Amino acid sequence: MSSAKRLSMFFTFTIFIKSLSGNHGNRKVYADLTTNRLTREHDGSNGMWSLHGIAHASHATKTEFIFNADLLSDDGRNHLNIASMVYPMLGLTSDLDEDYLEYLILQAKTAKIDGFLVEWGFREHPSNVALEKIITVAERHRPFEIGVNWCDHWLLQWLEKKNATDQMVSEFHRNAQYLLDTVFYISSKRFPSFGLRPLIFLFGGGITKEQFREVLAIGLKIPYWLDPPLWIGNYLNFAETAEFWAEWGPLMDGIFGWIPSRRRVVPPSMPQWDYYGNLADTTQYQQNVSSAGEGCVRNGTCQLWCGSASPGFDNRGCAGWGGSLKYLPRKWQGTSLYNAQWKNHVLNNSSANIIVLPTMNDYNEASVLLPTKQYGFEALYTTELFASFWKGTQTDSAGVTLPTWWFSLKKSVAFLNQTGVNITKAAARIEDCSTKISQGNYAAAANCLEAVQVLTDTFYAHLTVDDFTLEVPNGKMYFVKPPLMKFGAYLLNTTHGLYLRMSDVMARLLRTKNYVGYLQFDYILLDNAFTQIQVYSSTKRRNADTTFMAFPKQTTNDQYTEITNSVEAGNFAMVCDLMNKVPGVWHHANVRLYRDNVAWDHTATLNSDLHFKAVGGSYLVKRISLQFQVYHSGD
């Protein structure tokens, strides 16, 4: 056995012995959850999977980022240009899809995570839609707790847009009361709490200490089943310096850790970023948070404090939210920074009963615990192992990969249902699999999933598939209005569009059968400006009521401007929205045509089915084609 292997086994044994000797009490692990990524299929928008942003405070080699999440590989399996430096193993998903929310809860439970802290702004903010949905889904998988990481700077920015910052106290109070009345209800098993006192985690950067003092003075109406809430402030914004804590300490009931510091100026070998952190910074950060937490609990100025562990960070996926570009590697000189943070808690942390994990799913900042193409399930396995040690419970990693399998089968069953297959038996079994995973009965869950896999494989084997490729123009897809031509391609600008209509026979087939469809074309920008090429379809789906606006995060060190062109209102008629500012280069586009979105009923502009539109500039377009795999159940 190698010396490295013996050392690893010795260290694991040491952690295990240390975990057995500790006073664990009711220790909990909560993961921070973001809710701003959407899909065209589910929401009529890509949300923060697509983004155009400029890191104005950055001196990196690249400061402007354009992410077009609609673009697919030629085989349609992968999205080529998403707003993240890591690629999700499940592909693009919607944070408002209840199947996906259930997957997130199952995935968290298999990693010994006890609940989510949903990044939340205020009642009218889109994050509240997701919060209400995930509370409902979590009811099916109790015990699992849902709380909030209140991003109060979103509330401030909303009021600034309305020129109503003088209403900060009343609006903060109104929303705090909403949380007590809606989120924190009936049983402490449903939300993070300290006894009967709900925990409200406050990110900071919005409300001032004077305003917060006014809110506390007004008081909240406490439901009869609760005691007053405890306000837990982010160490970053409330306690990182003695000055911060002198101002906020008398108002806060505790602190929680966040992502370790990234403040070292990068060397020439790291030109992609402005600042970074390493193992020493991570260790120092954990020591600082622990010292502040231990100290305030010891002297009675805190009721509790919460440690943290984060798998990494790279905010190029959100253009640094308009500020500087920062990086925390997952490994530093061969050492996992996430492991190092957890080891610190297991070996040294004695008084914190809560660990916060930033984040479960913030792909824009590449801080995800979820499985990715680059890192697999590594962060989840680490979480399950160390959370077990920290809580003093038996480790069991057998369930970590099951939720991904479950989610894939869930979507397969839904597709078969749309194709006309009788999936009653498979649908019932997939729900039973979910229950088994939730209850930690992983062997039975694996057998259950295998049975569903056999069923779905059998169903797919009996389907017939017809392939169609329609090169435009032809008898099945043609121009409603003659296009303008230039240099042998179609000219597209702000006054001239392209309007395509499907033949009645082909349209009827697509309306009545299930299919997987793609639109392909080549395009080149003619102008030196930021522009967009958009494609719209006829649709029968009502546009989403909610405008999915994304607000930047905020720290004490950077002033961030709002990300532009990042998230549009849900519009199911939109097939794609491709941003561009590099003229003279031909690009190839392969985008999905979602069956639920495209009506093929000739009701788009000029009685068309597909409408190409240029925004802000001129394009040439050529080689337009449509590809369909049409499925028949044989019934």
Side-chain angles (χ1 to χ4, degrees):
M1 182 184 297
S2 69
S3 59
K5 183 70 172 178
R6 287 195 298 269
L7 181 61
S8 176
M9 291 180 64
F10 173 77
F11 191 74
T12 300
F13 179 74
T14 302
I15 290 176
F16 177 67
I17 296 300
K18 181 80 173 180
S19 70
L20 292 179
S21 63
N23 179 20
H24 305 291
N26 188 27
R27 287 185 161 181
K28 295 292 180 70
V29 177
Y30 300 120
D32 179 87
L33 191 76
T34 60
T35 60
N36 51 17
R37 279 160 301 278
L38 310 170
T39 63
R40 295 217 181 276
E41 184 176 24
H42 189 272
D43 312 290
S45 166
N46 285 322
M48 288 295 291
W49 290 119
S50 287
L51 180 143
H52 169 230
I54 302 173
H56 294 284
S58 176
H59 299 285
T61 51
K62 181 178 180 180
T63 59
E64 184 169 6
F65 297 85
I66 295 177
F67 298 104
N68 289 309
D70 288 310
L71 293 174
L72 295 168
S73 58
D74 288 340
D75 61 8
R77 294 178 182 273
N78 296 297
H79 293 259
L80 297 177
N81 190 217
I82 66 171
S84 177
M85 296 299 110
V86 294
Y87 192 88
M89 190 171 287
L90 289 177
L92 267 59
T93 48
S94 168
D95 292 334
L96 298 181
D97 179 355
E98 292 191 9
D99 289 341
Y100 182 64
L101 294 177
E102 185 170 11
Y103 156 78
L104 289 173
I105 292 172
L106 295 176
Q107 190 68 86
K109 295 188 77 169
T110 65
K112 301 289 176 63
I113 295 170
D114 300 287
F116 291 144
L117 303 179
V118 178
E119 291 192 8
W120 181 82
F122 47 94
R123 189 171 184 177
E124 292 79 11
H125 191 265
S127 57
N128 194 60
V129 177
L131 177 63
E132 292 181 345
K133 281 194 172 189
I134 201 165
I135 287 174
T136 300
V137 175
E139 282 295 297
R140 303 200 293 267
H141 296 285
R142 294 176 60 194
F144 193 80
E145 302 172 17
I146 303 297
V148 299
N149 180 6
W150 192 345
C151 299
D152 52 310
H153 47 284
W154 294 347
L155 176 59
L156 174 62
Q157 289 159 350
W158 183 58
L159 294 175
E160 287 174 342
K161 284 178 176 289
K162 302 196 314 178
N163 294 316
T165 54
D166 58 327
Q167 299 175 20
M168 185 64 173
V169 171
S170 60
E171 285 296 317
F172 191 95
H173 182 271
R174 176 179 69 91
N175 281 281
Q177 190 65 58
Y178 167 78
L179 290 177
L180 290 179
D181 295 340
T182 306
V183 180
F184 306 126
Y185 65 104
I186 302 177
S187 167
S188 62
K189 293 185 182 298
R190 290 183 169 97
F191 56 84
S193 62
F194 185 74
L196 293 178
R197 304 189 70 175
L199 305 180
I200 301 180
F201 293 80
L202 189 64
F203 191 86
I207 195 167
T208 66
K209 61 181 183 300
E210 293 82 10
Q211 292 167 335
F212 190 67
R213 187 177 290 110
E214 286 187 55
V215 170
L216 295 180
I218 295 171
L220 296 164
K221 296 179 181 178
I222 310 300
Y224 70 87
W225 58 84
L226 295 176
D227 287 336
L230 294 179
W231 294 91
I232 313 300
N234 190 332
Y235 171 81
L236 174 72
N237 290 320
F238 296 97
E240 188 172 32
T241 67
E243 292 75 17
F244 281 177
W245 192 242
E247 295 175 351
W248 284 99
L251 305 175
M252 290 286 113
D253 299 300
I255 60 173
F256 68 96
W258 194 243
I259 300 172
S261 303
R262 297 130 283 150
R263 292 176 180 166
R264 290 179 184 264
V265 177
V266 297
S269 60
M270 301 173 66
Q272 306 97 314
W273 305 278
D274 301 292
Y275 304 99
Y276 76 105
N278 60 21
L279 179 60
D281 301 321
T282 299
T283 301
Q284 187 61 57
Y285 176 83
Q286 296 297 346
Q287 291 173 352
N288 292 345
V289 176
S290 297
S291 177
E294 295 274 5
C296 71
V297 170
R298 185 170 54 250
N299 63 31
T301 56
C302 283
Q303 295 278 347
L304 58 89
W305 71 280
C306 312
S308 66
S310 181
F313 185 89
D314 187 342
N315 65 357
R316 288 177 293 168
C318 58
W321 300 108
S324 55
L325 300 176
K326 299 180 180 181
Y327 179 55
L328 186 71
R330 298 219 167 196
K331 287 187 177 180
W332 181 259
Q333 297 178 348
T335 298
S336 167
L337 300 193
Y338 189 49
N339 286 23
Q341 293 169 73
W342 266 112
K343 288 174 183 177
N344 172 73
H345 293 306
V346 173
L347 294 176
N348 304 317
N349 183 334
S350 59
S351 66
N353 278 343
I354 293 174
I355 299 294
V356 175
L357 307 178
T359 63
M360 189 71 177
N361 67 331
D362 194 338
Y363 284 96
N364 299 106
E365 293 185 347
S367 58
V368 299
L369 296 170
L370 292 178
T372 65
K373 293 290 182 68
Q374 293 90 334
Y375 301 106
F377 292 86
E378 180 180 337
L380 290 168
Y381 280 122
T382 297
T383 304
E384 193 283 327
L385 176 68
F386 284 102
S388 299
F389 285 156
W390 190 67
K391 296 177 184 181
T393 61
Q394 180 68 40
T395 181
D396 184 0
S397 62
V400 167
T401 62
L402 298 182
T404 298
W405 190 7
W406 174 85
F407 182 79
S408 298
L409 286 174
K410 180 85 171 180
K411 293 307 181 184
S412 291
V413 170
F415 183 84
L416 289 166
N417 184 50
Q418 283 189 314
T419 308
V421 176
N422 183 350
I423 49 87
T424 304
K425 188 175 181 179
R429 283 194 175 182
I430 199 70
E431 296 308 318
D432 184 44
C433 299
S434 171
T435 300
K436 287 178 168 59
I437 296 172
S438 182
Q439 293 173 346
N441 192 352
Y442 299 141
N447 291 334
C448 179
L449 291 170
E450 182 61 39
V452 177
Q453 185 74 65
V454 170
L455 273 176
T456 56
D457 288 348
T458 302
F459 289 144
Y460 275 107
H462 286 85
L463 296 180
T464 57
V465 183
D466 292 329
D467 294 321
F468 295 89
T469 297
L470 311 181
E471 295 181 355
V472 177
N474 69 16
K476 294 180 179 177
M477 194 72 178
Y478 52 89
F479 288 107
V480 174
K481 178 182 179 181
L484 293 179
M485 303 296 293
K486 186 174 183 178
F487 305 129
Y490 307 117
L491 178 64
L492 184 67
N493 57 33
T494 55
T495 57
H496 294 86
L498 300 176
Y499 307 92
L500 298 174
R501 180 177 174 126
M502 184 76 71
S503 70
D504 289 342
V505 173
M506 189 68 191
R508 188 178 306 111
L509 175 68
L510 297 179
R511 288 197 301 267
T512 56
K513 296 295 183 179
N514 197 14
Y515 65 84
V516 175
Y518 300 94
L519 168 67
Q520 296 189 353
F521 57 94
D522 295 341
Y523 63 100
I524 185 172
L525 174 63
L526 301 180
D527 304 312
N528 189 16
F530 176 82
T531 63
Q532 294 154 274
I533 183 169
Q534 300 173 337
V535 180
Y536 292 87
S537 72
S538 57
T539 188
K540 292 185 179 299
R541 295 186 72 180
R542 186 172 61 88
N543 291 345
D545 294 328
T546 304
T547 299
F548 300 107
M549 292 300 296
F551 295 104
K553 295 188 178 182
Q554 185 177 24
T555 74
T556 56
N557 301 312
D558 295 307
Q559 295 297 317
Y560 292 144
T561 56
E562 190 171 340
I563 299 296
T564 59
N565 299 296
S566 56
V567 182
E568 78 278 7
N571 183 356
F572 292 106
M574 181 174 281
V575 173
C576 65
D577 181 4
L578 305 179
M579 301 172 281
N580 194 359
K581 67 174 299 182
V582 180
V585 179
W586 280 101
H587 301 276
H588 178 68
N590 183 31
V591 300
R592 275 292 298 269
L593 294 167
Y594 291 105
R595 181 183 184 276
D596 287 346
N597 290 4
V598 186
W600 304 115
D601 61 357
H602 319 318
T603 59
T605 306
L606 298 184
N607 298 319
S608 65
D609 290 299
L610 294 177
H611 166 212
F612 286 68
K613 176 182 178 182
V615 179
S618 299
Y619 288 85
L620 293 180
V621 177
K622 65 181 182 179
R623 294 176 57 200
I624 303 173
S625 67
L626 291 81
Q627 296 180 354
F628 298 96
Q629 293 176 314
V630 180
Y631 288 79
H632 307 268
S633 64
D635 293 344

